[in-house]
Amino acid sequence: MTLAIENNRLLGAGIIHRDSPNHGGLFEDDAPDMVVLHYTAADTAEGAIRYLCDSENEVSAHVFIGRDGSITQMLSFDVIAWHAGESSWQGRTSLNACSIGIEFDNAGLLRVSDSGFTSHQGGMYQPEDVICAIHQNRSEPAFWHNYTDSQITSARNVCRTLIAHYGIRHILGHDEVAPERKLDPGPAFPLDTFRAELGV
């Protein structure tokens, strides 16, 4: 998929735009220079997007990537989203002010149940959609909802476009910038390989 950015909006075949009311002001002139990756921990894409666009929730991201690779932009890239919360990286804090947030349709950490694997919202997941891995911020293995190849490909295309347009220098997991609070995108996301492929 060929993507472009015009007036801080993604352009490309199939791109969906849904505006979220949840945002701060405009980025400063030297921002954004990083991307922070998240999983929604929700069981449906539509439910996650509705949540991110509900003014009562005071949370948002710039981009949502569905399991089929579909891309929904909810905020223009010149506006501060509310996705990183209390966060820090290399001496910088409050990273909402300098980062683009990307959310993946992914249930995250799962628990074993009698009929398979269950999310914290109660959704059921089959073994082929689950991996067992140790999170970098934990010591014991656990079960995690996997990411699809289509999601990784779309994320790579989006990030490559953001790098070219804004000079993005860092692609980080929420669990790297808020390690005491967050687990996303988790060990199912191939973050080191992803960064290496993009040269950041």
Side-chain angles (χ1 to χ4, degrees), residues 97-170:
C98 59
S99 64
I100 288 171
I102 296 179
E103 292 272 1
F104 291 93
D105 180 9
N106 184 283
L109 181 62
L110 304 173
R111 65 181 184 273
V112 180
S113 68
D114 291 339
S115 52
F117 299 90
T118 307
S119 72
H120 83 282
Q121 291 190 342
M124 299 301 302
Y125 296 87
Q126 298 304 309
E128 59 268 24
D129 296 321
V130 178
I131 71 162
C132 181
I134 299 175
H135 191 282
Q136 63 181 353
N137 299 336
R138 293 188 169 187
S139 59
E140 298 295 328
F143 296 100
W144 306 85
H145 193 197
N146 215 343
Y147 293 84
T148 68
D149 291 342
S150 295
Q151 283 183 304
I152 303 299
T153 297
S154 289
R156 189 184 303 113
N157 289 340
V158 170
C159 287
R160 185 175 288 121
T161 304
L162 292 171
I163 289 167
H165 195 87
Y166 296 104
I168 297 295
R169 295 186 292 116
H170 308 285

Side-chain angles (χ1 to χ4, degrees), residues 1 33 38 43 68 71 75 77 91-92 106 108 121 124 143 147 150 152-153 155-156 159 184 195-196:
M1 176 189 298
D33 70 346
H38 308 259
D43 288 328
D68 60 356
I71 299 168
L75 291 174
F77 295 129
R92 300 159 71 184
N106 184 283
Q121 291 190 342
M124 299 301 302
F143 296 100
Y147 293 84
S150 295
I152 303 299
T153 297
R156 189 184 303 113
C159 287
D184 51 321
R195 286 190 282 231

Side-chain angles (χ1 to χ4, degrees), residues 27-108:
F27 285 118
E28 298 290 338
D29 290 341
D30 58 349
D33 70 346
M34 63 176 64
V35 169
V36 178
L37 303 178
H38 308 259
Y39 58 53
T40 61
D43 288 328
T44 69
E46 181 58 30
I49 292 172
R50 280 201 310 268
Y51 189 89
L52 293 164
C53 292
D54 187 334
S55 60
E56 293 188 2
N57 296 323
E58 298 185 344
V59 63
S60 60
H62 294 89
V63 172
F64 175 90
I65 299 178
R67 295 191 67 75
D68 60 356
S70 58
I71 299 168
T72 301
Q73 184 173 4
M74 294 169 287
L75 291 174
S76 65
F77 295 129
D78 59 343
V79 170
I80 295 171
W82 299 335
H83 62 99
E86 184 178 343
S87 52
S88 64
W89 181 255
Q90 297 183 346
R92 300 159 71 184
T93 59
S94 302
L95 300 182
N96 283 342
C98 59
S99 64
I100 288 171
I102 296 179
E103 292 272 1
F104 291 93
D105 180 9
N106 184 283

